[in-house]
Amino acid sequence: MTEQADRYAQCTLSFGRWLLTQRDRGDWVDGLADAARVDRTFPKDGDPEAVRMHLRKQQADGDTFQAVDDAESSWQNS
């Protein structure tokens, strides 16, 4: 298993589902989580790369991808 896969295996909740639970953080992740909750096609069981791929298809801006990076760091540390 790769180092990245090992980090993902440590997290019991998928990144997508974890992101949907994020509220009132006071950072960029709030907006990302709000948008994910209203997006019917959001990859709920997806890892960070699946979320990024989904956002690329939606033509998200650079700030959104920065929010994903921040969220991924928080998710890995949870």
Side-chain angles (χ1 to χ4, degrees):
M1 215 184 275
T2 67
E3 181 180 328
Q4 187 173 12
D6 287 341
R7 285 193 310 243
Y8 293 157
Q10 292 172 2
C11 300
T12 57
L13 195 60
S14 73
F15 178 69
R17 291 200 183 274
W18 174 87
L19 184 59
L20 293 171
T21 67
Q22 301 306 294
R23 296 181 189 273
D24 303 321
R25 292 171 50 103
D27 61 10
W28 292 16
V29 177
D30 281 338
L32 178 62
D34 290 344
R37 282 190 290 277
V38 298
D39 181 353
R40 291 182 178 182
T41 62
F42 181 77
K44 293 177 180 77
D45 293 316
D47 64 10
E49 285 309 310
V51 170
R52 286 183 184 96
M53 184 182 309
H54 175 74
L55 293 171
R56 281 186 207 101
K57 289 178 186 174
Q58 303 293 321
Q59 298 180 343
D61 63 17
D63 288 345
T64 302
F65 289 98
Q66 182 61 49
V68 173
D69 292 345
D70 291 349
E72 181 179 10
S73 293
S74 292
W75 173 68
Q76 288 174 343
N77 293 322
S78 63

